[in-house]
């Protein structure tokens, strides 16, 4: 009987595990293939070596990719406003530890991707090897 309960517990834990923390489905931002590597030794990205710094890398994803040093690791988000149609004003700007939508001035945390609207920032996977940050989906 004890083995059955252990088996049930083990199977429950396996099914409760998830590949990502939250759903990345957003009707406003198309799913573009992203495969980006940046070297923090380059001057454009050297600020990423320090906690709470972010950079926007243009020409990836819908409106560019925001890479943020969260201290415990790096976060990468699409720079498109998550609650607006893709248009000329839908690019985000960086304001300290937040990304701000140029359309509606909604602020999103670069630590969590959450803001005050329905959809959070579209997040990408990040892998760090030495001084190279690899962003992908």
């Amino acid at each position: 009987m004890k083995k059955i309960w252990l088996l049930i517990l083990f199977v429950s834990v396996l099914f409760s595990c998830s590949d990502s923390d939250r759903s990345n489905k957003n009707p406003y931002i198309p799913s573009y293939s992203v495969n980006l590597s940046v070297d923090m030794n380059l001057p454009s990205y050297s600020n990423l070596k320090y906690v709470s710094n972010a950079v926007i890398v243009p020409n990836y994803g819908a409106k560019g990719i925001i890479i943020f040093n969260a201290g415990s690791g790096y976060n990468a988000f699409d720079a498109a406003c998550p609650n607006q149609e893709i248009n000329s004003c839908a690019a985000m700007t960086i304001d300290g530890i937040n990304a701000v939508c140029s359309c509606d001035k909604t602020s999103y945390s670069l630590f969590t991707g959450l803001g005050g609207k329905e959809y959070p920032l579209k997040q990408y996977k990040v892998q760090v090897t030495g001084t190279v940050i690899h962003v992908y989906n």
Side-chain angles (χ1 to χ4, degrees):
M1 186 69 172
K2 190 176 183 180
K3 289 181 181 180
I4 293 174
W5 285 109
L6 286 174
L7 180 64
I8 291 171
L9 178 66
F10 179 71
V11 170
S12 298
V13 169
L14 282 178
F15 283 114
S16 67
C17 294
S18 173
D19 191 27
S20 67
D21 294 332
R22 63 180 116 99
S23 173
N24 237 1
K25 293 182 180 174
N26 184 314
Y28 299 113
I29 302 175
S31 292
Y32 293 105
S33 179
V34 173
N35 188 9
L36 162 69
S37 293
V38 297
D39 189 343
M40 291 182 285
N41 286 330
L42 296 173
S44 300
Y45 308 115
S46 62
N47 283 341
L48 290 173
K49 293 179 182 179
Y50 307 103
V51 177
S52 298
N53 281 335
V55 297
I56 297 177
V57 181
N59 303 320
Y60 286 91
K63 291 285 186 176
I65 303 293
I66 300 171
I67 303 174
F68 178 71
N69 184 338
S72 59
Y74 291 86
N75 294 332
F77 302 102
D78 203 293
C81 293
N83 293 286
Q84 302 288 330
E85 295 286 339
I86 300 283
N87 59 31
S88 62
C89 77
M92 306 289 279
T93 58
I94 297 172
D95 183 19
I97 59 170
N98 295 311
V100 180
C101 178
S102 61
C103 295
D104 59 13
K105 305 301 182 215
T106 300
S107 185
Y108 298 85
S109 168
L110 291 174
F111 285 100
T112 63
L114 300 175
K117 299 272 183 143
E118 180 179 1
Y119 295 103
L121 293 174
K122 183 174 182 113
Q123 190 165 15
Y124 295 101
K125 296 175 184 176
V126 176
Q127 179 180 356
V128 180
T129 306
T131 61
V132 176
I133 301 171
H134 184 110
V135 178
Y136 61 99
N137 56 357

